[in-house]
Amino acid sequence: MIKIDSELCKGCDLCIESCPKHVYQKSSKENKKGVYLPFPENEEKCNKCHLCELMCPDQAITVEDEDDHGKDDNKDDHDENISDDK
Amino acid sequence: MKYLRKDRLPNIFCAGCGNGIALNTFFKGMESAEIDFDTLSLVSGIGCSSRIPGYVKCDSLHTTHGRAITFASGLKVGNPDLNVVVFTGDGDAASIGGNHLIHGARKNINITVICVNNNIYGMTGGQISPTSPEGSFGTTAPYGSRDKPFNLAELVAAAGASFVSRWTTAHPLQLSNSIKKALLNPGFSFVEVISQCPTYYGRKNKLRSPVDMINAFKENSVNIRKANKMSDEELAGKLIVGEFVNNPRKELTENVCDLSVEQCGRSLAIKSAYLDNFDD
């Protein structure tokens, strides 16, 4: 499960560029600071290399491993990946 | 994230700044070197990269401009059990603190210096720094810089540091591995992180976004093993990355300790603040 903290992200797009599996895409909706957040569009391709966590200059990305508690979360809703308050 | 002061976030750095990547890779290197977080103390001078220790939940010193290595030397000699790490920038380490940098390397004191080199004075408005490449533009060089830049890694290696490496922010895994080696090395360890400043350096030099700058680092970097076989013409405009020196030798606090034992019979000079009395 990939979580992006909308409070911390500044929209530099380094995660979109650095992900070797092209998991991220830019979302079309902006957050309250006017930043177009990245969105894990192809999350099923993620192989948990944690490179995006290293490359995120704002520590906004958390990649949880499968054995963590977030496993049984409902993943069909896109907005769940972005912990946004609109 | 668990090492950061959450009340201070989000950090003050511009979108896409390399300082955050340097911070992440430092934590990864620290974890793989199995350094105890409680023995860590971060020292920094003045500049964008010197704000990094302010976001970390450990003991830190934010010192005067260029004097971070001086303060760190005092801290390390005072208590050699500490793992002292200096976060510094190119303006801090190479220009105003240049002398402290080379003499720290000459004395080979056991500290780790992580120099985040973004080729420009970012905090004060994009002036040309001692490491700006020839022909690069800045607010003080509207026609391009004509001076020859410092090659920091080679400068520190020539001054006698026992571990020197250089990586860019486009090589986070190699960088964290290098930081691990630097932390474990007994002696002066210098890690130069070539970092992006999209706000000032990038905007003036046709690399407007952080993604452009990262891609430019990837295209232009050559590993030192390959660079040794290349001619000077081929290397023009390239960034040489890799491990420059790994040659441990006797370090300063050890020498001080030995001298004290030789002259007084026991170790008095080290951790003297913890002693109750100096007479036998």
Side-chain angles (χ1 to χ4, degrees):
Chain A
M1 175 90 185
I2 298 169
K3 277 186 185 157
I4 296 165
D5 192 329
S6 70
E7 293 288 312
L8 298 183
C9 179
K10 293 174 189 153
C12 67
D13 302 344
L14 284 179
C15 48
I16 301 176
E17 182 63 25
S18 63
C19 179
K21 297 282 178 190
H22 307 289
V23 166
Y24 295 96
Q25 261 178 15
K26 214 164 172 70
S27 64
S28 53
K29 210 170 60 181
E30 54 189 306
N31 74 351
K32 65 179 177 187
K33 289 178 189 164
V35 169
Y36 292 94
L37 296 176
F39 174 75
E41 179 71 37
N42 309 313
E43 206 182 325
E44 69 285 350
K45 284 192 194 165
C46 176
N47 60 357
K48 313 275 188 300
C49 71
H50 298 270
L51 192 64
C52 49
E53 281 185 342
L54 266 187
M55 282 302 280
C56 177
D58 300 299
Q59 294 85 33
I61 300 177
T62 319
V63 180
E64 286 173 1
D65 288 325
E66 284 297 325
D67 45 38
D68 283 2
H69 49 84
K71 195 179 174 182
D72 50 358
D73 274 2
N74 188 13
K75 276 204 281 187
D76 54 0
D77 190 1
H78 280 186
D79 284 343
E80 227 175 76
N81 294 86
I82 298 173
S83 58
D84 199 348
D85 45 323
K86 220 160 288 167
Chain B
M1 193 74 188
K2 63 183 172 185
Y3 303 114
L4 293 177
R5 290 169 65 184
K6 291 200 178 61
D7 54 319
R8 306 286 292 174
L9 297 177
N11 57 34
I12 200 170
F13 308 132
C14 309
C17 177
N19 290 337
I21 302 175
L23 186 62
N24 294 340
T25 49
F26 170 70
F27 288 143
K28 191 171 163 66
M30 188 191 77
E31 276 178 355
S32 52
E34 291 173 350
I35 298 282
D36 186 5
F37 189 65
D38 291 334
T39 65
L40 189 75
S41 52
L42 302 183
V43 186
S44 67
I46 299 294
C48 292
S49 51
S50 300
R51 295 190 69 105
I52 289 177
Y55 297 108
V56 187
K57 247 188 243 169
C58 71
D59 297 336
S60 58
L61 270 174
H62 194 184
T63 70
T64 45
H65 197 3
R67 272 67 187 166
I69 294 170
T70 325
F71 280 82
S73 305
L75 196 60
K76 183 71 186 179
V77 175
N79 186 355
D81 297 340
L82 291 175
N83 286 300
V84 182
V85 179
V86 177
F87 271 98
T88 180
D90 55 324
D92 197 44
S95 103
I96 191 165
N99 227 343
H100 303 297
L101 180 70
I102 55 176
H103 286 282
R106 177 179 67 84
K107 289 176 183 166
N108 197 28
I109 181 158
N110 187 5
I111 57 176
T112 304
V113 178
I114 298 172
C115 178
V116 184
N117 178 1
N118 56 7
N119 298 325
I120 208 147
Y121 289 114
M123 187 177 257
T124 52
Q127 291 87 356
I128 288 291
S129 85
T131 54
S132 303
E134 239 171 311
S136 65
F137 296 91
T139 48
T140 53
Y143 308 109
S145 167
R146 298 287 176 94
D147 305 331
K148 188 176 159 53
F150 257 147
N151 189 334
L152 277 185
E154 284 182 9
L155 173 80
V156 177
S162 53
F163 181 89
V164 179
S165 70
R166 177 200 282 148
W167 292 103
T168 75
T169 46
H171 305 95
L173 295 172
Q174 293 95 321
L175 177 60
S176 61
N177 196 23
S178 208
I179 290 173
K180 174 194 166 191
K181 282 186 186 173
L183 286 168
L184 293 175
N185 171 51
F188 193 88
S189 319
F190 184 80
V191 182
E192 184 183 354
V193 187
I194 307 282
S195 154
Q196 71 273 25
C197 177
T199 308
Y200 281 114
Y201 189 81
R203 202 172 60 190
K204 296 269 183 194
N205 291 285
K206 298 194 175 103
L207 297 163
R208 208 164 257 272
S209 73
V211 173
D212 290 342
M213 293 206 78
I214 286 277
N215 287 338
F217 289 154
K218 271 185 196 159
E219 282 162 22
N220 290 329
S221 53
V222 182
N223 197 293
I224 187 163
R225 276 172 295 185
K226 205 178 161 194
N228 285 339
K229 295 172 194 153
M230 287 163 76
S231 67
D232 286 351
E233 290 82 49
E234 285 175 309
L235 285 173
K238 298 277 184 196
L239 283 167
I240 301 172
V241 296
E243 204 175 289
F244 284 66
V245 180
N246 191 353
N247 184 18
R249 63 187 172 98
K250 204 163 184 190
E251 61 104 14
L252 179 78
T253 52
E254 218 176 303
N255 280 336
V256 171
C257 208
D258 285 358
L259 184 71
S260 171
V261 170
E262 221 171 81
Q263 298 296 322
C264 310
R266 62 198 180 97
S267 178
L268 289 172
I270 300 287
K271 290 180 108 173
S272 57
Y274 297 89
L275 294 177
D276 291 332
N277 60 331
F278 284 93
D279 343 298
D280 274 325

